[in-house]
Amino acid sequence: NPVLQPNTKYYWRARASSFMGTGAWSEVWVFNTGSGSSAQTGITQIGSEIPVEYKLYNNYPNPFNPVTSLRFDLPSDNFVKLAVYDILGREIKILVNSELKSGFHTVDFEASDLPSGIYFYTISTTGFTDTKKMILLK
């Protein structure tokens, strides 16, 4: 079994093969792995209702040490990128970088490897972007 390396961008594509021949290659897909113990621990969908609008909530708890929850609503299936940035605007971690179903979602952010300070998290989807501030206090 191959092991995915932390902090690595992977590319993949596929094609069908059968007794009738081999098809064309698909488009190239990309995903990024997180870093070590602070990699994405999972995206949890809450309930089965569908929200009426996109929304990014304030993280809870805030300030936090070392784990906080980030909640967001998706009114339709969409590709979602949820990333954390430092005070200088450098991307620190990508928490979500995938297609998600509509609904209410939460993601835990574990920051034991980061210093105390102010961080920002941004959600980007087709037609919606929002940013919130969080404080890590150790």
Side-chain angles (χ1 to χ4, degrees):
N1 284 341
V3 176
L4 299 179
Q5 298 299 311
N7 288 325
T8 303
K9 181 181 278 190
Y10 288 93
Y11 301 86
W12 64 277
R13 60 186 182 156
R15 70 178 174 176
S17 181
S18 73
F19 69 91
M20 296 181 67
T22 302
W25 285 102
S26 69
E27 64 183 272
V28 176
W29 295 87
V30 179
F31 70 93
N32 296 299
T33 56
S35 59
S37 64
S38 60
Q40 176 182 322
T41 58
I43 303 165
T44 304
Q45 184 165 353
I46 305 166
S48 60
E49 295 180 25
I50 306 299
V52 295
E53 64 183 6
Y54 290 98
K55 184 165 185 177
L56 178 63
Y57 295 85
N58 290 320
N59 63 301
Y60 181 83
N62 192 23
F64 70 100
N65 179 24
V67 179
T68 189
S69 288
L70 309 178
R71 181 178 168 200
F72 57 93
D73 299 347
L74 298 176
S76 61
D77 297 359
N78 214 314
F79 188 86
V80 175
K81 180 177 180 184
L82 181 62
V84 177
Y85 300 87
D86 67 11
I87 194 75
L88 298 175
R90 295 177 296 208
E91 188 174 89
I92 300 298
K93 295 201 169 73
I94 298 174
L95 303 175
V96 179
N97 196 30
S98 62
E99 184 81 23
L100 294 180
K101 297 286 186 188
S102 59
F104 305 96
H105 301 272
T106 63
V107 176
D108 286 339
F109 172 53
E110 198 275 328
S112 60
D113 59 335
L114 295 175
S116 294
I118 296 173
Y119 294 87
F120 298 92
Y121 55 104
T122 298
I123 189 170
S124 298
T125 68
T126 304
F128 177 76
T129 301
D130 195 9
T131 301
K132 301 282 186 190
K133 178 175 75 172
M134 61 183 162
I135 300 170
L136 172 60
L137 275 181
K138 291 188 171 185

